[in-house]
Amino acid sequence: MNIVSFLIRYPSAVLFPFFVFGCTNYSTTASVQAPPTLISIINNGNSNFTIKVRAQNPEFIFQGYRLYSGISEKEVQNPTDLNLGTDCVLASSAVVQPVEYTFEIDPSTKANTNGVSCRIFATLTPGTYIAMRTLGLAINLQNSSSSFKVSMPSNALIVP
């Protein structure tokens, strides 16, 4: 009897151990997200800025980006609390190739301008620094909770 006919005739013999003993071959290590690369920032006036970002987000856990601003490059790339940034949650993507995003940073709650991937509701001050991190979804199977896991920091830019 060959293996194919065995599996067709006795599928429960193969599946039974999985149902009884469960699957324990999963990783508890969080996936690492690639940080984005900030290309440019333009001051559009009235506290409105446009940022060009190049990023690659090949995994289904990709959620978006988090923007950090501060008085030094070190502060924005290594904040004391990674939750203090401002989020831009995008739709999940299956893109494997690098993508160029356009973000608007504006404290007002008006709708996105045409061609803008996401609007980040924040106030930036000229002369300060900005950096971004990629947001990934982290799911804890032991207590059924989820949160965002952030990537390493991007490069930093000075706000014009």
Side-chain angles (χ1 to χ4, degrees), residues 43-121:
N43 188 340
N44 300 327
N46 298 329
S47 301
N48 183 313
F49 296 88
T50 301
I51 297 177
K52 296 278 187 185
V53 176
R54 187 103 168 136
Q56 181 174 346
N57 309 298
E59 298 189 28
F60 71 94
I61 63 170
F62 166 74
Q63 298 296 302
Y65 298 96
R66 183 169 287 161
L67 176 75
Y68 298 92
S69 62
I71 59 172
S72 71
E73 184 176 357
K74 182 179 179 183
E75 181 183 329
V76 296
Q77 289 183 323
N78 302 300
T80 55
D81 184 357
L82 292 175
N83 295 316
L84 293 178
T86 306
D87 295 346
C88 172
V89 178
L90 297 170
S92 293
S93 171
V95 176
V96 176
Q97 298 299 317
V99 176
E100 187 170 299
Y101 292 107
T102 302
F103 296 111
E104 262 188 344
I105 291 130
D106 192 344
S108 71
T109 57
K110 61 184 179 181
N112 285 355
T113 305
N114 192 20
V116 172
S117 303
C118 190
R119 178 180 287 277
I120 300 173
F121 302 109

Side-chain angles (χ1 to χ4, degrees), residues 63 83 136-149:
Q63 298 296 302
N83 295 316
L137 185 62
I139 300 172
N140 186 335
L141 297 175
Q142 293 174 340
N143 65 10
S144 300
S145 66
S146 65
S147 62
F148 285 136
K149 177 168 175 33

